[in-house]
Coordinates of all heavy atoms in Angstrom, one line a residue:
D221 N -0.6 8.7 5.3 CA 0.8 8.6 4.9 C 1.5 7.4 5.5 O 1.7 7.4 6.7 CB 1.5 9.9 5.3 CG 2.9 10.1 4.7 OD1 3.4 9.1 4.1 OD2 3.5 11.2 4.8
L222 N 1.8 6.4 4.6 CA 2.5 5.2 5.1 C 3.8 5.1 4.4 O 4.3 4.0 4.1 CB 1.6 4.0 4.8 CG 0.2 4.0 5.4 CD1 -0.5 2.7 5.0 CD2 0.3 4.1 6.9
S223 N 4.4 6.2 4.1 CA 5.7 6.2 3.5 C 6.8 5.7 4.4 O 6.7 5.9 5.6 CB 6.1 7.7 3.0 OG 5.2 8.2 2.1
S224 N 7.8 5.0 3.9 CA 9.0 4.6 4.6 C 8.6 3.7 5.8 O 9.3 3.7 6.8 CB 9.8 5.8 5.1 OG 10.2 6.6 4.1
C225 N 7.6 2.9 5.6 CA 7.1 2.0 6.7 C 7.6 0.5 6.4 O 7.2 -0.4 7.2 CB 5.6 2.0 6.8 SG 4.9 3.5 7.4
L226 N 8.4 0.3 5.4 CA 8.8 -1.0 5.0 C 7.7 -1.9 4.6 O 7.7 -3.1 4.8 CB 9.7 -1.7 6.1 CG 11.0 -1.0 6.4 CD1 11.8 -1.8 7.4 CD2 11.8 -0.6 5.2
A227 N 6.6 -1.3 4.1 CA 5.4 -2.0 3.7 C 5.7 -2.9 2.4 O 6.4 -2.4 1.5 CB 4.2 -1.1 3.4
E228 N 5.2 -4.1 2.4 CA 5.3 -5.0 1.3 C 3.9 -5.3 0.8 O 2.9 -4.9 1.3 CB 6.1 -6.2 1.7 CG 7.5 -5.9 2.2 CD 8.4 -7.1 2.3 OE1 7.9 -8.2 2.1 OE2 9.6 -6.9 2.6
P229 N 3.8 -6.1 -0.3 CA 2.5 -6.5 -0.8 C 1.5 -7.1 0.2 O 0.3 -6.8 0.2 CB 2.8 -7.5 -1.9 CG 4.2 -7.1 -2.4 CD 4.9 -6.6 -1.2
E230 N 2.0 -7.8 1.2 CA 1.2 -8.4 2.2 C 0.5 -7.3 3.0 O -0.7 -7.4 3.3 CB 2.0 -9.3 3.2 CG 1.2 -9.9 4.3 CD 2.1 -10.6 5.3 OE1 3.3 -10.7 5.1 OE2 1.5 -11.2 6.3
E231 N 1.2 -6.2 3.3 CA 0.6 -5.2 4.1 C -0.5 -4.5 3.3 O -1.6 -4.1 3.8 CB 1.7 -4.2 4.6 CG 2.5 -4.6 5.7 CD 3.4 -5.7 5.5 OE1 4.2 -5.7 4.4 OE2 3.4 -6.7 6.2
I232 N -0.2 -4.2 2.0 CA -1.2 -3.6 1.2 C -2.5 -4.4 1.1 O -3.6 -3.9 1.1 CB -0.7 -3.3 -0.2 CG1 0.5 -2.3 -0.1 CG2 -1.7 -2.7 -1.2 CD1 0.2 -1.0 0.5
Q233 N -2.3 -5.7 1.0 CA -3.5 -6.6 0.9 C -4.3 -6.5 2.2 O -5.6 -6.5 2.1 CB -3.0 -8.1 0.7 CG -4.2 -9.0 0.5 CD -3.7 -10.4 0.2 OE1 -2.5 -10.8 0.5 NE2 -4.6 -11.3 -0.3
K234 N -3.7 -6.4 3.3 CA -4.4 -6.3 4.6 C -5.1 -5.0 4.7 O -6.2 -4.9 5.4 CB -3.4 -6.5 5.8 CG -2.8 -7.8 5.9 CD -1.9 -7.9 7.1 CE -1.3 -9.3 7.3 NZ -2.3 -10.4 7.5
L235 N -4.6 -3.9 4.0 CA -5.2 -2.6 4.1 C -6.3 -2.4 3.0 O -6.8 -1.3 3.0 CB -4.1 -1.6 4.0 CG -3.1 -1.5 5.2 CD1 -1.9 -0.6 4.9 CD2 -3.9 -0.9 6.4
K236 N -6.5 -3.3 2.1 CA -7.4 -3.1 1.0 C -8.8 -2.7 1.5 O -9.4 -1.8 0.8 CB -7.5 -4.4 0.2 CG -6.3 -4.5 -0.8 CD -6.4 -5.9 -1.5 CE -7.5 -5.9 -2.5 NZ -7.5 -7.2 -3.3
P237 N -9.4 -3.1 2.6 CA -10.7 -2.7 3.0 C -10.8 -1.2 3.3 O -12.0 -0.7 3.3 CB -11.0 -3.5 4.2 CG -10.1 -4.7 4.1 CD -8.9 -4.2 3.5
V238 N -9.7 -0.5 3.5 CA -9.8 0.9 3.9 C -9.1 1.9 2.9 O -9.4 3.1 3.0 CB -9.3 1.2 5.3 CG1 -10.1 0.4 6.3 CG2 -7.8 0.8 5.4
L239 N -8.2 1.5 2.1 CA -7.4 2.4 1.3 C -8.3 3.2 0.3 O -7.9 4.3 -0.1 CB -6.3 1.6 0.5 CG -5.2 1.0 1.4 CD1 -4.1 0.4 0.6 CD2 -4.6 2.1 2.3
H240 N -9.4 2.6 -0.2 CA -10.2 3.3 -1.1 C -10.9 4.5 -0.5 O -11.4 5.4 -1.2 CB -11.3 2.4 -1.7 CG -12.3 2.0 -0.7 ND1 -12.1 1.1 0.3 CD2 -13.6 2.5 -0.5 CE1 -13.2 0.9 1.0 NE2 -14.1 1.8 0.6
K241 N -10.9 4.7 0.8 CA -11.5 5.8 1.5 C -10.6 7.0 1.6 O -11.0 8.1 2.0 CB -11.9 5.4 2.9 CG -12.9 4.2 3.0 CD -13.3 3.9 4.4 CE -14.4 2.8 4.4 NZ -14.9 2.6 5.8
C242 N -9.3 6.8 1.2 CA -8.3 7.9 1.3 C -8.4 8.9 0.2 O -8.5 8.4 -1.0 CB -6.9 7.3 1.4 SG -6.7 6.1 2.7
V243 N -8.3 10.2 0.4 CA -8.3 11.2 -0.6 C -6.8 11.3 -1.1 O -6.5 11.3 -2.3 CB -8.8 12.5 -0.1 CG1 -8.7 13.6 -1.2 CG2 -10.3 12.4 0.3
I244 N -5.9 11.4 -0.1 CA -4.5 11.4 -0.4 C -3.8 10.2 0.2 O -3.9 9.9 1.4 CB -3.8 12.7 0.1 CG1 -4.4 13.9 -0.5 CG2 -2.3 12.7 -0.2 CD1 -3.9 15.2 0.2
L245 N -3.2 9.4 -0.6 CA -2.6 8.1 -0.2 C -1.1 8.1 -0.5 O -0.7 8.1 -1.7 CB -3.2 6.9 -0.8 CG -2.7 5.5 -0.4 CD1 -2.7 5.3 1.1 CD2 -3.5 4.4 -1.1
R246 N -0.2 8.2 0.5 CA 1.2 8.3 0.3 C 1.8 6.9 0.7 O 1.8 6.6 1.8 CB 1.8 9.4 1.0 CG 1.2 10.8 0.8 CD 1.9 11.9 1.5 NE 1.2 13.1 1.6 CZ 1.0 14.0 0.6 NH1 1.6 13.8 -0.6 NH2 0.3 15.1 0.8
L247 N 2.5 6.3 -0.3 CA 3.1 5.0 -0.1 C 4.5 5.0 -0.5 O 5.1 4.0 -1.0 CB 2.3 3.9 -0.8 CG 0.9 3.6 -0.3 CD1 0.1 2.7 -1.3 CD2 0.8 3.1 1.1
N248 N 5.2 6.1 -0.5 CA 6.5 6.3 -1.0 C 7.6 5.5 -0.2 O 7.4 5.2 1.0 CB 6.9 7.7 -1.0 CG 6.0 8.6 -1.7 OD1 5.6 8.3 -2.9 ND2 5.6 9.7 -1.1
H249 N 8.7 5.1 -0.8 CA 9.8 4.5 -0.2 C 9.4 3.2 0.6 O 9.8 3.0 1.8 CB 10.5 5.5 0.7 CG 10.8 6.8 0.1 ND1 11.9 6.9 -0.9 CD2 10.3 8.0 0.1 CE1 11.9 8.1 -1.3 NE2 11.0 8.8 -0.7
N250 N 8.7 2.3 0.0 CA 8.4 1.0 0.6 C 8.9 0.0 -0.4 O 9.8 0.2 -1.2 CB 6.8 0.9 0.8 CG 6.4 1.7 2.0 OD1 6.9 1.6 3.1 ND2 5.4 2.6 1.8
N251 N 8.3 -1.2 -0.2 CA 8.8 -2.4 -1.0 C 7.6 -3.1 -1.7 O 7.4 -4.3 -1.5 CB 9.6 -3.3 -0.2 CG 10.3 -4.4 -1.0 OD1 10.7 -4.2 -2.1 ND2 10.4 -5.6 -0.4
L252 N 6.7 -2.3 -2.3 CA 5.4 -2.8 -2.8 C 5.7 -3.7 -4.0 O 4.9 -4.7 -4.1 CB 4.5 -1.7 -3.2 CG 4.1 -0.7 -2.1 CD1 3.0 0.3 -2.6 CD2 3.7 -1.4 -0.9
Q253 N 6.6 -3.4 -4.9 CA 6.9 -4.2 -6.1 C 5.7 -4.3 -6.9 O 4.6 -3.8 -6.6 CB 7.5 -5.6 -5.7 CG 8.7 -5.5 -4.8 CD 9.2 -6.8 -4.4 OE1 9.6 -7.6 -5.3 NE2 9.3 -7.1 -3.1
D254 N 5.8 -5.0 -8.0 CA 4.7 -5.1 -9.0 C 3.5 -5.8 -8.4 O 2.3 -5.5 -8.7 CB 5.2 -5.9 -10.2 CG 6.2 -5.1 -11.0 OD1 6.4 -3.9 -10.7 OD2 6.9 -5.7 -11.8
S255 N 3.7 -6.8 -7.5 CA 2.6 -7.5 -6.9 C 1.8 -6.6 -6.0 O 0.5 -6.8 -5.9 CB 3.1 -8.7 -6.2 OG 4.0 -8.4 -5.2
G256 N 2.4 -5.7 -5.4 CA 1.7 -4.7 -4.6 C 0.8 -3.8 -5.4 O -0.3 -3.4 -5.0
V257 N 1.3 -3.5 -6.6 CA 0.5 -2.6 -7.5 C -0.8 -3.3 -7.9 O -1.9 -2.7 -8.1 CB 1.3 -2.2 -8.7 CG1 0.4 -1.6 -9.8 CG2 2.5 -1.3 -8.3
K258 N -0.8 -4.6 -8.0 CA -2.0 -5.4 -8.4 C -3.1 -5.1 -7.3 O -4.3 -5.0 -7.7 CB -1.7 -6.9 -8.5 CG -0.8 -7.2 -9.7 CD -0.5 -8.7 -9.8 CE 0.4 -9.0 -10.9 NZ 0.7 -10.5 -11.0
H259 N -2.7 -5.1 -6.1 CA -3.7 -4.8 -5.0 C -4.2 -3.4 -5.2 O -5.4 -3.1 -5.0 CB -3.1 -5.0 -3.6 CG -2.6 -6.4 -3.3 ND1 -3.4 -7.5 -3.6 CD2 -1.5 -6.9 -2.9 CE1 -2.8 -8.6 -3.2 NE2 -1.6 -8.3 -2.8
L260 N -3.3 -2.5 -5.5 CA -3.8 -1.1 -5.6 C -4.7 -0.9 -6.8 O -5.6 -0.1 -6.8 CB -2.5 -0.2 -5.8 CG -1.7 0.0 -4.5 CD1 -0.4 0.8 -4.8 CD2 -2.5 0.7 -3.4
V261 N -4.4 -1.6 -7.9 CA -5.3 -1.6 -9.1 C -6.7 -2.0 -8.7 O -7.7 -1.4 -9.2 CB -4.7 -2.4 -10.2 CG1 -5.7 -2.6 -11.3 CG2 -3.4 -1.8 -10.8

């Protein structure tokens, strides 16, 4: 759960090596924007 952490696309990019291991991934109330979604895709 990384909700409300003020995370931006840069943070998601740094976390890419581990996020695929999560069963439940909560990223609510951040600032991912469309560019952050590209990393999630």
Side-chain angles (χ1 to χ4, degrees):
D221 191 348
L222 302 180
S223 301
S224 305
C225 292
L226 298 186
E228 299 194 356
E230 178 186 0
E231 282 69 49
I232 297 302
Q233 184 176 20
K234 292 181 180 299
L235 291 168
K236 282 175 67 174
V238 298
L239 292 185
H240 70 283
K241 300 183 178 188
C242 304
V243 178
I244 301 174
L245 178 57
R246 307 188 195 278
L247 297 170
N248 304 314
H249 307 286
N250 285 304
N251 190 31
L252 302 189
Q253 305 180 58
D254 295 343
S255 55
V257 170
K258 293 180 181 179
H259 298 310
L260 291 174
V261 166

